[in-house]
Amino acid sequence: MLDERQRVAGEIHDTVAQDLAAVIGQLAAADAAAGEPERRRHLDRASALARSGLAEARRAVRALRPGPLEGSRLPDALTRLAAEWEARTGVALAVEITGTPVALAADVEDTLFRVAQEALANVAKHAGARRAALTLSYTDLPFPGPYAVRAAGGRDGGPRGVMLDVRDDGRGFDPRAPGDGFGLDGMRQRVRGVGGTLEVESEPGRGTAVAAAVPAIPPEGRP
């Protein structure tokens, strides 16, 4: 029950809360706009975000699976997420996919998508960055324990691990300092839940890097 409560809390944080925060940001920008075209642009974005948040909330009630992953491969969903984030924030975001993409278990793909979503939300909210980068890598990285067999078994040289990196050139922070939000703890719990690890490297004035590594567990019913 505690695990389920934590998972649902994470879903709400990653959907409704983030969309509402983005709507507030766009409305504030509209208030500060220099002219009507700029004001209208921010209001249109706020409206689109509100509609997206409502649709995501309704979808989450039905399935609690990220909407962008329904009918899409993870690299495509992340590429769309990055394009929407760049358009909304005005921060340049480079996207790179390395290795050979393979289908992953739904929980693994959900986790990587949510980590990317949360990491980018943190960049927009806290970093004051000019540039950011998102890299999704399908690698031969081995994982210890039972996940190693599940990730590598029957893959004929396919990837055994998947790594997601989100980096920015913003103001940075001290990762050892206590936080006041769900974000980093939520990401760590999500990644641990699929047998992976998450590391955060940052220091004041030197930007931030978030790196998640998870086993390449195949979908249910596949070798």
Side-chain angles (χ1 to χ4, degrees), residues 116-187:
Q117 190 177 46
E118 174 64 19
L120 290 174
N122 286 343
V123 174
K125 186 175 180 180
H126 303 295
R130 293 176 299 173
R131 294 184 300 276
L134 183 155
T135 303
L136 180 68
S137 304
Y138 294 82
T139 76
D140 292 331
L141 180 71
F143 283 80
Y147 288 100
V149 177
R150 293 179 63 193
R155 283 292 176 113
D156 273 342
R160 288 191 288 172
V162 185
M163 300 182 67
L164 174 73
D165 295 284
V166 178
R167 304 175 300 282
D168 69 74
D169 65 352
R171 60 177 59 96
F173 68 103
D174 181 358
R176 297 167 298 180
D180 59 358
F182 182 88
L184 290 178
D185 286 341
M187 284 193 282

Side-chain angles (χ1 to χ4, degrees), residues 15-30:
T15 56
V16 179
Q18 286 190 6
D19 283 333
L20 287 175
V23 168
I24 291 170
Q26 291 298 322
L27 292 176

Side-chain angles (χ1 to χ4, degrees), residues 41-58:
R41 185 168 63 254
H42 287 299
L43 290 176
D44 287 344
R45 287 178 180 172
S47 177
L49 284 164
R51 288 193 298 271
S52 173
L54 178 60
E56 182 72 7
R58 287 171 172 166

Side-chain angles (χ1 to χ4, degrees), residues 112 141 143 161-164 191-192 194-199 211-215:
L112 291 172
L141 180 71
F143 283 80
V162 185
M163 300 182 67
L164 174 73
V191 172
R192 282 199 300 265
V194 295
T197 60
L198 184 134
E199 296 183 3
V214 300

Side-chain angles (χ1 to χ4, degrees), residues 40-114:
R40 186 72 257 167
R41 185 168 63 254
H42 287 299
L43 290 176
D44 287 344
R45 287 178 180 172
S47 177
L49 284 164
R51 288 193 298 271
S52 173
L54 178 60
E56 182 72 7
R58 287 171 172 166
R59 184 214 56 75
V61 169
R62 293 193 304 270
L64 287 177
R65 176 164 169 78
L69 286 174
E70 293 179 352
S72 296
R73 302 172 69 195
L74 178 62
D76 298 331
L78 289 177
T79 299
R80 285 197 300 274
L81 171 69
E84 293 168 0
W85 183 89
E86 185 177 47
R88 185 171 70 248
T89 64
V91 177
L93 177 59
V95 178
E96 183 178 12
I97 311 294
T98 67
T100 303
V102 296
L104 302 171
D107 285 352
V108 176
E109 292 197 341
D110 292 355
T111 293
L112 291 172
F113 184 86
R114 293 304 192 196

